Amino acid sequence: MQIYNEFELIARLTHGLTTRPDVALGVGDDCALLDIGSDSQLLATCDSQVEGVHFTLRTSTPEQIGRKALAVNLSDIAAMGGVPRFALISLVIPPRFSQEALEGIYRGLRQEAERHQVAIVGGNIAGAGQGKQLMLDITLLGTVRRGQAITRGGAQIGDVLCVTGSLGDSAAGLFTLLHPDGTGAENALTFVQARHRTPVPRVAEGRVLSAFGPAVVTAMLDISDGLSGDLQHLCERSGVGARVFAEHLPLTEEMQAIAARVGKDPLDWALHGGEDYELLFTLRPEKAREVIEAVQAQTGTRITRIGEIIPSGMCLIAPSGTEQPLQVRSWDHLH
Amino acid sequence: MQIYNEFELIARLTHGLTTRPDVALGVGDDCALLDIGSDSQLLATCDSQVEGVHFTLRTSTPEQIGRKALAVNLSDIAAMGGVPRFALISLVIPPRFSQEALEGIYRGLRQEAERHQVAIVGGNIAGAGQGKQLMLDITLLGTVRRGQAITRGGAQIGDVLCVTGSLGDSAAGLFTLLHPDGTGAENALTFVQARHRTPVPRVAEGRVLSAFGPAVVTAMLDISDGLSGDLQHLCERSGVGARVFAEHLPLTEEMQAIAARVGKDPLDWALHGGEDYELLFTLRPEKAREVIEAVQAQTGTRITRIGEIIPSGMCLIAPSGTEQPLQVRSWDHLH
């Protein structure tokens, strides 16, 4: 392990960063200097990842931690239907933190940035003093064509409620990482653990959706807290309720196999698991088929109708047809 | 002390935030949605403040900590000649951190934001797990008219080297806070401690300077590490050197009185002290008088010529006229 001072470390981590034509000035001055088109609005989001709270070096490699830290921010840009463009990376580093792990994290950040043509344009590195935990805080900037951003607040009664991909895989992956049973690698385990450690933000899907505009795709957000909790956010913001059909929830075979093996309810993971980073969105019913076909055709990602928007309340329809209240059991990031 | 969950806490801290007409959507969705003018370029900067490293609740009030955390970012926007507009606030909170202190910090953030017409448009709150330190990470976005940003890289041989305000007050203030001698409040002490705890970012001064454009104001940055270290940044970026006249450095009577009392060299604090948050900039010599008069007339802030740009090396001219190398003794934020 080598020790660097702050400026050497920044130089080392940011050496040869990939850039973009709209970055007039990246890392190295007081601010980044950026061009955004005149027909665009700016999107800005930030999210932090704390060692021991959001990740551990026991269950993820440094590269995976870096990738995920950026991916969760990409997911927020995706959830507005935007194009991610510029990232600022803030690191707080405990004393004697492994230089090699730090470089691995930055390698993961760069990989994920390059995958989405995002330029890392600034950041900050601070020591943690007596602190014991690595902290990554990322601000991601993107753009969206004026008038096409999809907020959480536009869902209307009668809208079709849809979700990208599948639900609950990440929760299953986290469970197996926290409770290893020594059975070694097999396909289902590898799949759900990858879904937890390196979620794929639905950026392309969000862009196809926002191209239809908010009159068709009326509300959208990404599922980070769990379907139940994030659906509640959407309902509260839109002033509506929702009905979810349990048997329509998209569950993978891999997740169900893991659930059976460890004696968990797969529906529970799908409803409340968190960290899916899928998009949850509502469509005007007369346009639903067209939009769903467009997203599937252009991205290859499955879109599933899981419910509908009702005047108020949140309820779950069991496979038997009985209706029960849908309780929120979200992950609280503070406790 | 009351305990809130994440969403309650966010709601409480961000209730009734001041907004601006260019904020299409602030806190509460996946991203903030922001308008920037078509003749502008975007400025983005981030900076974190860690308890025990950058501040302590023993030497600053919560409000002061909040104000300073935003001020240091405002100073970076000022150093490009920009207009600060939007802030994202990320907090990492240790278990059992005082709710009252947290609200005080947020109050300070809001005060400083309102003072500069900055809208807080997003953020994030995370628990610190076993961590013991509060961490604030702020991303600040601003704009600058296309072509008018002042970088660190344009200084030319023969340029006049100038600084706003005074140097070394903050270092004197920090010294007295770390070594209280029980003499109680007096004017000099109050002054230097305020300069340390609540630095005033030179936003207005930066804007007057950038209006002249980079052909006149050739390079600029803010002094956070100390004059010697930040001058080195400017020289390296511009590929030049600098000569500084010790007797021209703007020292306040208050700082010199404190230095005399505690047996420190005031020149040392002015050259290497750090956290001044003054602007250091270079002017084409034929325009220097006009620019300096304009800044002083429009802002009331004193501008001092402290040296000149030379082909290479950094040297200090003592009052006796002897020349010596100007050594860099910056604060390294990692050690």
Side-chain angles (χ1 to χ4, degrees):
Chain A
M1 188 183 112
Q2 277 183 276
I3 299 291
Y4 299 98
N5 75 20
E6 181 186 8
F7 302 113
E8 288 164 348
L9 184 59
I10 291 171
R12 191 174 167 87
L13 294 177
T14 63
H15 177 74
L17 281 176
T18 306
T19 187
R20 302 170 41 114
D22 48 9
V23 177
L25 205 61
V27 171
D29 216 294
D30 297 291
C31 298
L33 183 63
L34 310 166
D35 285 308
I36 82 164
S38 58
D39 59 344
S40 294
Q41 287 177 293
L42 185 68
L43 296 169
T45 184
C46 71
D47 204 62
S48 52
Q49 300 270 307
V50 181
E51 186 182 358
V53 179
H54 302 90
F55 68 85
T56 74
L57 282 162
R58 279 173 289 112
T59 53
S60 293
T61 67
E63 283 85 351
Q64 290 168 339
I65 291 165
R67 278 187 59 184
K68 184 168 181 175
L70 189 55
V72 303
N73 283 284
L74 288 162
S75 184
D76 278 319
I77 297 283
M80 303 292 282
V83 183
R85 288 167 65 172
F86 314 111
L88 294 97
I89 312 288
S90 194
L91 298 173
V92 179
I93 307 172
R96 291 177 294 280
F97 188 81
S98 153
Q99 191 78 28
E100 198 181 321
L102 196 61
E103 290 178 10
I105 288 170
Y106 226 88
R107 200 155 49 236
L109 287 168
R110 284 172 179 239
Q111 286 165 5
E112 192 73 7
E114 284 168 24
R115 184 172 292 121
H116 293 274
Q117 290 92 54
V118 165
I120 297 174
V121 297
N124 187 70
I125 294 183
Q130 301 305 308
K132 294 186 172 62
Q133 299 161 309
L134 180 73
M135 207 279 311
L136 282 100
D137 190 46
I138 298 183
T139 295
L140 188 64
L141 305 177
T143 50
V144 64
R145 192 178 291 271
R146 188 171 301 280
Q148 288 199 324
I150 314 291
T151 72
R152 301 176 172 191
Q156 297 168 45
I157 297 161
D159 283 356
V160 178
L161 184 66
C162 298
V163 71
T164 58
S166 57
L167 299 172
D169 302 323
S170 177
L174 178 59
F175 183 90
T176 63
L177 287 165
L178 296 178
H179 307 88
D181 63 0
T183 52
E186 36 113 343
N187 288 343
L189 205 61
T190 307
F191 174 81
V192 296
Q193 291 184 351
R195 290 276 287 160
H196 177 71
R197 292 196 277 215
T198 50
V200 175
R202 300 299 192 180
V203 176
E205 295 78 1
R207 291 179 66 174
V208 176
L209 288 165
S210 73
F212 285 94
V216 173
V217 183
T218 52
M220 179 156 65
L221 82 177
D222 68 319
I223 302 177
S224 55
D225 297 319
L227 175 64
S228 62
D230 286 310
L231 180 58
Q232 187 182 43
H233 295 317
L234 186 150
C235 287
E236 283 179 354
R237 281 263 151 183
S238 296
V240 297
R243 180 182 289 131
V244 172
F245 297 92
E247 65 184 333
H248 292 175
L249 294 177
L251 314 185
T252 59
E253 285 182 19
E254 291 87 345
M255 187 272 268
Q256 293 180 83
I258 299 289
R261 196 168 81 189
V262 302
K264 290 280 172 186
D265 181 358
L267 190 60
D268 222 51
W269 278 341
L271 286 171
H272 313 295
E275 296 215 271
D276 293 307
Y277 299 108
E278 297 291 357
L279 298 176
L280 179 68
F281 57 96
T282 54
L283 301 175
R284 293 304 300 149
E286 66 277 13
K287 287 285 205 171
R289 176 192 285 262
E290 179 191 345
V291 174
I292 291 169
E293 285 177 357
V295 177
Q296 290 183 156
Q298 290 180 52
T299 67
T301 300
R302 188 170 74 170
I303 305 299
T304 308
R305 297 176 187 231
I306 62 167
E308 60 198 13
I309 297 300
I310 60 177
S312 66
M314 278 171 42
C315 63
L316 185 70
I317 312 295
S320 63
T322 62
E323 182 174 316
Q324 61 191 88
L326 174 54
Q327 306 287 351
V328 174
R329 299 212 320 263
S330 277
W331 188 38
D332 186 328
H333 300 262
L334 287 184
H335 298 119
Chain B
M1 187 184 111
Q2 278 183 275
I3 299 291
Y4 300 97
N5 74 20
E6 181 186 6
F7 302 113
E8 289 165 349
L9 184 59
I10 291 170
R12 190 174 167 87
L13 293 178
T14 62
H15 176 74
L17 280 176
T18 307
T19 185
R20 304 168 41 112
D22 48 9
V23 178
L25 205 61
V27 172
D29 216 294
D30 297 291
C31 298
L33 184 63
L34 310 166
D35 286 309
I36 83 163
S38 57
D39 58 345
S40 294
Q41 287 177 294
L42 184 68
L43 296 169
T45 184
C46 72
D47 203 61
S48 53
Q49 299 270 308
V50 181
E51 187 183 358
V53 179
H54 302 91
F55 67 85
T56 74
L57 282 161
R58 280 174 287 111
T59 54
S60 293
T61 68
E63 284 85 350
Q64 290 168 339
I65 292 165
R67 279 188 58 185
K68 184 169 180 174
L70 189 54
V72 303
N73 283 283
L74 288 162
S75 184
D76 278 319
I77 297 283
M80 302 291 282
V83 183
R85 289 167 65 171
F86 315 111
L88 294 98
I89 311 288
S90 193
L91 298 173
V92 178
I93 306 172
R96 292 177 292 282
F97 188 81
S98 154
Q99 191 79 29
E100 200 181 319
L102 198 60
E103 289 178 10
I105 289 170
Y106 225 88
R107 201 155 50 240
L109 287 169
R110 284 171 179 241
Q111 287 165 5
E112 191 73 7
E114 284 167 23
R115 183 171 293 121
H116 293 276
Q117 291 93 53
V118 166
I120 296 174
V121 296
N124 186 73
I125 294 183
Q130 301 306 309
K132 292 187 174 63
Q133 299 162 311
L134 180 73
M135 206 279 312
L136 283 100
D137 189 47
I138 298 182
T139 295
L140 189 63
L141 305 176
T143 49
V144 65
R145 191 179 292 271
R146 189 171 300 280
Q148 286 198 326
I150 313 291
T151 71
R152 301 177 172 190
Q156 296 168 46
I157 297 161
D159 282 356
V160 177
L161 183 67
C162 297
V163 71
T164 59
S166 56
L167 298 172
D169 302 324
S170 177
L174 177 60
F175 184 89
T176 63
L177 288 165
L178 296 178
H179 306 87
D181 64 358
T183 53
E186 36 114 341
N187 287 343
L189 206 60
T190 307
F191 174 82
V192 295
Q193 292 184 350
R195 290 274 288 159
H196 178 73
R197 291 196 278 214
T198 51
V200 176
R202 300 299 193 181
V203 176
E205 295 78 0
R207 292 179 65 175
V208 176
L209 288 165
S210 72
F212 285 94
V216 173
V217 182
T218 51
M220 179 155 66
L221 83 175
D222 68 320
I223 301 176
S224 56
D225 297 318
L227 174 63
S228 62
D230 286 310
L231 179 58
Q232 187 182 44
H233 296 316
L234 187 150
C235 287
E236 284 178 355
R237 279 262 152 185
S238 297
V240 297
R243 179 183 289 131
V244 172
F245 297 92
E247 65 183 335
H248 293 176
L249 294 176
L251 313 185
T252 60
E253 286 182 19
E254 291 88 344
M255 187 273 267
Q256 293 179 81
I258 299 289
R261 198 169 79 190
V262 302
K264 290 280 172 186
D265 181 358
L267 189 60
D268 223 49
W269 278 340
L271 287 171
H272 313 293
E275 295 215 273
D276 293 308
Y277 299 108
E278 298 290 357
L279 298 177
L280 178 68
F281 56 95
T282 54
L283 301 174
R284 293 305 299 152
E286 65 277 12
K287 287 284 206 171
R289 175 192 286 262
E290 179 191 346
V291 174
I292 291 169
E293 284 177 359
V295 178
Q296 291 184 154
Q298 292 179 51
T299 67
T301 299
R302 188 170 72 170
I303 305 299
T304 309
R305 300 177 185 227
I306 63 167
E308 60 199 12
I309 298 299
I310 59 176
S312 66
M314 279 172 40
C315 63
L316 184 70
I317 312 295
S320 64
T322 60
E323 183 175 314
Q324 61 192 90
L326 174 54
Q327 305 287 352
V328 175
R329 297 211 322 262
S330 279
W331 188 36
D332 186 326
H333 299 262
L334 287 185
H335 298 118

